[in-house]
Amino acid sequence: MRVVIAGGGIGGLATALSLHAAGFEDVVVHEAAERIRPLGVGINLLPHAVRELTELGLADRLAGAGVATAELAYFNRYGTPIWSEPRGIDAGYAWPQYSVHRGRLQMLLLEAVTERLGPRAVRTGSRVTFTGTGAPRAGTDEVPIGPDDLLVGADGIRSAVRAHLFPGEGPPPWNGLLLWRGTTYGEPFLTGRSMIMAGDGTQKFVAYPIATGERTLINWIAERPVDGAASGPADWNRPADPARIAAHFADWRFDWLDVPGIITGAEAAYEYPMVDRDPLPYWTAGNVTLLGDAAHAMYPIGSNGASQAIIDARVLAHFLARGDLAAYEATRRPVTTALQLSNRRMGPEVVMKLAHDRAPDGFDDVESVVPFAERAEIAASYKRTAGFDPVSLNERPSWSVDR
C-alpha cells in the first residue's frame, strides 16, 4: 500500500515514522510550504505522547530538545495557589512530560523521517489537491492518488483534505478570546521546571521553561476576551506589540513571577484567535482519512493538541498494519470528540474560574473556596478523558507493531 500524507507538521511527520516502524515502505509526506522551518513557540508533550515517541526510538533526542516538566500549578489572578500536582516521572508515569519549542520538535521529527525513510520522503512546496470529480492528486506534477492508496489528511486546522470531505463547513469558529504567545529569557521560578497558569476564568497567563542552563527561556501565553471579530486566518506568525499585551496584565506581579515583566521582555510576540473545529460525524471516506488538527482541532486547554496528533499517528499505523482502517477511527474519534468538548468547558483550567466565581476578591484558604476533593476530581477526570491517567497509561499495551 502507498500512503500519501498531506501535511509535514508534527502529526504528519509522526505518522510517517509510525507507518515506517509498522512495516510500510511506500510513504510520502507532501508539505505545501516551500521549506519546513522551526516556527512557533512552546508546547507541552504529555506522558502519553512521550511514550509513543519513546517507542519510536526518539527518547534521547526528546530529552535533549526540551525541559522535563516537574509540576503543573494553578493560581488566581493575585498569584494565590489553587492547585498543584507533580507531572511526568514525578507523578508516577513511566515516561516524562516535556516542554519544548514546537519548531524544534518538528525539526527533530523531520530529521528522523529523512534518516529512516530517505530524503525524498518529505516533499516541500507540494500540495495535495482534488480534481473537479473529487479525485485526489499529490505534488507539483499532480500525481493521482489511486483507490488502492491511502490519503491521510494531516494538514492542520484549515485542512484541504477535510474541506474535501466536508465542503460546507466554513472557517474555524472563534470563541471571542485572543491569545498572545512569546518567549522571554528570565529567572527560573518555583521548581525551575514548573508550568503555571494564573487567571480568573476570563483572563489567563501561562508560563513554563522550554530551555534551561545559563539562561532560562520561558514560553508564555496571555489570554483575554476582545471585542469584534477575529481578523484574518488563524496564523501563529501574526506579530503583536508586547507592551500593549503587558498593559492588560499590569498588576499581575507576584512574589515569584513578574507577569508584565516577562511579557515586555520578549523580543517578539504573536497573536492568535482561540479557534477550534466542531467534532465530526466521521473521519474516513473510502481511501481518505483525517488525523491531528485536521480531524479534531481543539482549544489549547490541557496541553493536548500535539500530543493527540502523535497518538493518532501511532494508532493509525497499528490498525493499518492489521488491514483495519475502520478501527483507527473507532478507537480515536470518540476520545478526541470528548476531549474537544471538555476543552470547550475549560477542561482542568475550570478550577481557576470556580475560585474566581466563589471568591472574586481573592482568598486566604483555598480549601474553603474549592475543596481538595473537588479540585482533585477535576484534575483526575481530565486525565481520564484525555487518556493519560497514570495507572491506565502505564499498564496499557503498546501500539507498536511486532514485525
Side-chain angles (χ1 to χ4, degrees):
M1 173 187 286
R2 181 171 71 120
V3 182
V4 176
I5 301 168
I10 291 169
L13 295 172
T15 301
L17 289 171
S18 299
L19 290 168
H20 178 264
F24 293 87
E25 299 295 338
D26 194 356
V27 179
V28 180
V29 178
H30 290 270
E31 167 55 45
E34 293 295 332
R35 183 165 63 94
I36 296 177
R37 296 181 294 156
L39 301 176
V41 284
I43 60 171
N44 263 260
L45 286 178
L46 298 176
H48 52 354
V50 175
R51 173 181 180 174
E52 303 310 330
L53 295 178
T54 297
E55 293 182 358
L56 286 172
L58 300 174
D60 291 343
R61 300 190 199 197
L62 273 180
V67 175
T69 310
E71 70 163 347
L72 169 64
Y74 295 95
F75 301 83
N76 67 5
R77 59 168 297 147
Y78 306 106
T80 307
I82 299 171
W83 172 257
S84 66
E85 60 184 52
R87 280 297 174 112
I89 300 297
D90 295 333
Y93 291 98
W95 301 271
Q97 175 174 326
Y98 287 114
S99 299
V100 62
H101 190 285
R102 176 186 290 274
R104 189 170 185 184
L105 173 64
Q106 187 176 6
M107 299 309 289
L108 180 157
L109 296 174
L110 177 61
E111 180 182 68
V113 170
T114 302
E115 290 172 359
R116 298 177 188 183
L117 282 76
R120 291 290 293 159
V122 179
R123 316 278 174 86
T124 56
S126 180
R127 296 180 180 274
V128 169
T129 58
F130 295 86
T131 66
T133 61
R137 296 176 178 273
T140 55
D141 296 332
E142 296 191 339
V143 177
I145 299 172
D148 295 328
D149 303 326
L150 176 66
L151 171 59
V152 179
D155 47 344
I157 193 169
R158 294 181 178 273
S159 165
V161 181
R162 178 177 174 132
H164 167 70
L165 297 182
F166 299 92
E169 186 174 32
W174 180 47
N175 69 356
L177 293 173
L178 197 63
L179 301 177
W180 294 282
R181 290 178 171 247
T183 56
T184 304
Y185 283 101
E187 295 298 319
F189 55 89
L190 300 180
T191 66
R193 295 187 290 120
S194 298
M195 178 179 185
I196 69 97
M197 300 188 184
D200 56 15
T202 300
Q203 188 162 319
K204 181 178 73 177
F205 185 78
V206 180
Y208 51 86
I210 56 174
T212 57
E214 293 184 7
R215 295 197 297 173
T216 295
L217 183 61
I218 299 169
N219 182 82
W220 56 265
I221 306 101
E223 171 190 314
R224 72 185 301 272
V226 295
D227 296 328
S231 59
D235 179 2
W236 284 112
N237 299 308
R238 182 186 301 149
D241 179 8
R244 182 173 63 87
I245 303 166
H248 298 300
F249 295 83
D251 59 346
W252 290 43
R253 288 186 168 89
F254 314 143
D255 292 341
W256 46 275
L257 190 68
D258 178 359
V259 172
I262 290 290
I263 296 172
T264 56
E267 292 186 1
Y270 306 93
E271 71 177 28
Y272 184 82
M274 189 185 284
V275 296
D276 68 354
R277 284 291 193 184
D278 293 329
L280 290 174
Y282 60 89
W283 293 355
T284 305
N287 66 330
V288 179
T289 195
L290 300 174
L291 181 146
D293 279 355
H296 50 70
M298 59 190 69
Y299 292 154
I301 303 289
S303 307
N304 259 283
S307 293
Q308 294 297 324
I310 291 166
I311 297 166
D312 287 350
R314 290 276 288 165
V315 176
L316 173 63
H318 175 87
F319 285 114
L320 204 60
R322 297 183 175 190
D324 192 356
L325 177 59
Y328 157 63
E329 179 178 330
T331 301
R332 293 296 297 150
R333 190 166 62 82
V335 173
T336 56
T337 294
L339 191 55
Q340 286 177 286
L341 299 177
S342 176
N343 282 7
R344 286 183 172 182
R345 298 188 297 268
M346 299 182 67
E349 297 174 20
V350 75
V351 294
M352 294 185 290
K353 183 179 188 301
L354 293 175
H356 176 74
D357 289 348
R358 297 172 188 179
D361 298 321
F363 52 83
D364 294 322
D365 179 17
V366 67
E367 186 65 21
S368 65
V369 179
V370 189
F372 177 86
E374 185 177 8
R375 287 175 283 149
E377 177 53 27
I378 289 169
S381 175
Y382 188 76
K383 292 184 181 73
R384 292 192 295 268
T385 299
F388 69 108
D389 168 74
V391 174
S392 299
L393 177 60
N394 288 349
E395 296 179 354
R396 174 181 61 74
S398 173
W399 294 115
S400 294
V401 173
D402 185 358
R403 298 174 61 180

